[in-house]
Structures are given as structure tokens and as C-alpha cells.
Amino acid sequence: MEKSRMANSIRNILFSFSYQIITILLSFINRSVFIFTLGISYLGISGLFSDILTMLSLADLGFGVALTYSMYKPLADRDYNRLAALTNLYRKVYRIIALAVTIIGLLLVPFLKYLINLKHPIPHITLYYLMYLANTVASYLVIYKTSIITADQKDYILNKYRSYFGILQTLFMTIFLWITHNYFVYLLVQVIFTYIQNFYCSHVASKMYPFINNKIKMPLKDIKEIFKNLYSVFLYKISGVLLNATDNTIISIMIGTGMVGYYSNYSMITARLTGLINTIFYSLTASLGNLVVTEKPERRYKVFLVMQSISSIFSTTCVICLMLLTQDLIRIWLGSSYVLSTYTLCAILLNFYLGIILLPIWVYREATGLYQQTKYVMVITAIINLVLSIYLAKKMGITGVLLASAIARLLTYFWYEPVLLFKKYFDESSLVYFRHIVINIFITIIISRIEMITIGKFVPQNWGTLIFKAIITGITSLSLVLLLYARSGGFKLIMERIKTISIRKKRNLQD
């Protein structure tokens, strides 16, 4: 079982990682064409609409998470009737959700003028918004089928097809925008590819698991139990959306929609890098779900230590590299006029750091379904973030909005979720975890300071010198981090695992 979990996890990571790398490269090309063709105002509109429709995704009430989680046990037990019944239940639910999102989205149209704050109005704004809405609704039509692939630790299959369609979509969007200089055509290509991709992945799920098409009804008592547990997931989800998907809206209303465009260049960089790292961690979610229901607390804790060490290495290395390279990248890529202040960059990186260092906690939360005990703390986090964002936006501008998100996280779930997870699933004290976090923060500050006064003095003037600085920064940062983490418990477990795999491979070759 352990070997199977590892094999599936490795496949998930490799396929997802490859896709993310290609997507990052294409995103930079696409963003460059977008800015120089349409301008910063359209980029601001794009970021604002993305936020609005992310908030609209609340209509699914957390069913995506609940659906995947509810399939872990029946997959482990090979209970195909249960899986078919779950699929049929969620098909009906998601049809209702798709309709609800459409109606709510249309009802928001008259209020768009209060959210958009531009010096020069953009024509056909409503039409562009409706295209974004159509793109969002597409995902709700087939997710009930593809979730079984994710729950069965075979997300690499979906990622393979998503990568194909994603690459083609970005290429065609970029080409058509370059040729037509038309935002509507750009969005139309996006919607078409989204629908094709989703329906094809649904077809793949039906072929792999033909039993999900069987018309089996879920017992009423089980349906009640699912909806009862869903309340916790919904509260967590709505809080998460209010925490993560309101920044652009607040920036647009209080500072200006154009500023959303400037910020989105930075957020694209951190979001793509976060996606790359998330690939490694969230590819393990289904495997952890299987591990949680089959293994003892001691084994769960050892796996967590490995994940914590990996997240620490990534968070420190990436924060240092972003601190030293982001401003240079924006300046050479887009021009000095697109560079935001160092204070704003620090606020962005603080949120990025928290997002990476907490990944092991979040992945275990997804795998264990630990929403019942954490739902209210997320509500508190969202409220603090909203109030602080509005207050600090008046005092500090965009930096204040971003800083509010970090403060809200630190005051609430940053400490609460680890305490709960350790107590419930590891039978260990969470003090060990927090000691590790403090050490990681200290290491990050020390190394970044050293590199700022050495490598940071070098200011690249072109792509060649930027790449050179990036290589030196990356190698130096990673080397120092690995040197300082060489004696940690999690790192030792990683090395032991690598040695075990190497020995096993040698034996297989000898046989």
C-alpha cells in the first residue's frame, strides 16, 4: 500500500510540475502581449472580474472538497455502488449550482459600475463580464465526474489532459489577441477551450470508472449526513474566499482599477510559483487521505515532518529569490513605470511566505476533512481581514490591503490549525512545530539580509544579466538553506527515504 501511495504521488507531482513550468513560460508571453496590446486598464478589469467570480464560486458550498473527501473510503473499500451513488447525487447538486451561479452572476451586472474605478471607461464592460461568467459556469458541469480520479490518487491523468488543453488555450488566446487586438475574441477563445477541456476530462472519467454512470440512489440518511458535514466545509470555504478573493475588489474600489493591473503582475509571479509548489503538496492529498484511514498517528507524524522540512526549504529559498529578483524582473520585462514600492513587495512576500510554510497543515486538513473544528476560526480571519483591509487601504494604500491579509492570518489560523491537527491526528505537542517555524523565520531573515548586502548590490540591465543574477541567487540561497537544515529531523527522514529507494533500485537491477 505504501509503495502504491508513493508511486501515485510521484506521478501526480511529475505531471503537475511539468504542466506548471510550461504554463509559467506561456503566462509571461501571454501577459506581455496582453499589456502591450490592450494596456493596464484591461489588466485591472481582468483581475477584478476574476475576484468577483471567485466569490461567486461560493455557490458550490464546498461541494468540491466534500465530494473528493467522501470518496476516499469507498475507493479504499472498492465500494462501487457507493461511488456511483455519490456521483449521481453530486451530478444533481452541481446542475443546481451551475444554474445558481448563472443567476447570481447576472444579478450582479447592474452593480459593476460601483466596483470599477477607471479614469477612462472601457466599452463593452458588461459583455466581457458575461464571458468571464460563462467560463466559470463551465467548471460546474463536469466536476462531479472528474473528482473520482483525484480521489483515486490519479490526478496526473487529469493534469496530462489539462496541460495539453491549457497550453493550446494560452497559445491560441495570445495569437488571436496579437492578430485582432480584440478582448472579446481573447475571452471567447478562453471559454471555448474551457468547455472542451472539461467535457473531455469528464469523458475520460466515464471510461476509467464506467460504474459511475450507473443510476444508483443514495440512501436518504446518508444524504442528510453529507449535508450535515457540508456546513463546516461551507463556512471554511466562504471564509477562505473572503480572505483571498477580496483584495482586488477593495483595491479597485478604494484605490483604482488600474492599480489592480499593476499589482496583478506581481501576483501572477507569486501565484505561478505558489502553484508550482502546491503541485508537490496537493498531489499528495489523496495519498494522505488513504494514509489517514489506514495508518497510525506515528506514521502520519513522520510523513508530516518530511513535508514540513520541504515547505521550510521552499519558503525560505523562494522568498529570498523573490526579494532579490522581482523588482529587477518587472523593470526589465515591462519597464520602470510598472514597478511597485519595496514596502508593497514585502507585504506580497509575507503573504507568499505564509502560504508556503502552512502548506503541510493545509494539505493534512484537506486529507482529513478537518473542517468541523476550524470553521469558525476562518470566519473570524475573514472578518478581521475585511475590516483591516478597508482601514489600512486608507492609511497605506495597496500595501495596507495586502498587509491586512497577513495580519489576519497570523492572528488566527496560523497558530490554531497546527494545535488542532497535532492534538487530533499526531498525538504530539504542537510546540515542536512552532519551534521549527520560529527557526525558519530566523533563517529566512538572516540569509536574505546577507544576500541583500552582497548579491543584491548587483543591478541587472538586460535579460542575460538577470538570468545570471537569478542563477547565483538560487544556488546560493538553496545551498545555505540545505546546509542549515541538514540536521533537522524531517531532512534526515528525507535522506533515509532516498537511500532506501536507491538500495531498492540497485537490488531490482541486480535481479
Side-chain angles (χ1 to χ4, degrees), residues 368-436:
T368 58
L370 197 64
Y371 293 96
Q372 184 66 36
Q373 297 88 343
T374 57
K375 57 181 181 289
Y376 293 118
V377 72
M378 281 299 291
V379 173
I380 295 170
T381 307
I383 293 171
I384 293 173
N385 174 62
L386 196 58
V387 174
L388 273 180
S389 292
I390 295 171
Y391 175 75
L392 292 179
K394 296 176 181 178
K395 301 290 184 180
M396 304 169 65
I398 185 174
T399 304
V401 176
L402 301 174
L403 195 59
S405 298
I407 294 172
R409 289 180 169 94
L410 288 169
L411 291 176
T412 53
Y413 67 74
F414 175 78
W415 61 268
Y416 182 78
E417 285 199 31
V419 170
L420 191 63
L421 182 67
F422 271 69
K423 181 179 179 181
K424 190 171 180 64
Y425 285 97
F426 297 151
D427 292 337
E428 297 279 349
S429 171
S430 58
L431 290 177
V432 178
Y433 171 81
F434 289 113
R435 190 185 310 126
H436 182 100

Side-chain angles (χ1 to χ4, degrees), residues 274-326:
T274 300
L276 202 61
I277 299 170
N278 282 352
T279 292
I280 297 173
F281 286 90
Y282 281 100
S283 293
L284 302 172
T285 303
S287 297
L288 289 175
N290 179 273
L291 179 142
V292 166
V293 299
T294 59
E295 300 286 355
K296 294 181 180 179
E298 183 181 358
R299 175 62 185 157
R300 298 172 194 162
Y301 181 59
K302 284 186 176 181
V303 173
F304 178 83
L305 285 179
V306 170
M307 294 176 67
Q308 187 180 21
S309 289
I310 294 172
S311 72
S312 297
I313 292 168
F314 275 133
S315 60
T316 299
T317 304
C318 291
V319 164
I320 294 168
C321 289
L322 288 171
M323 177 64 76
L324 269 70
L325 299 169
T326 302

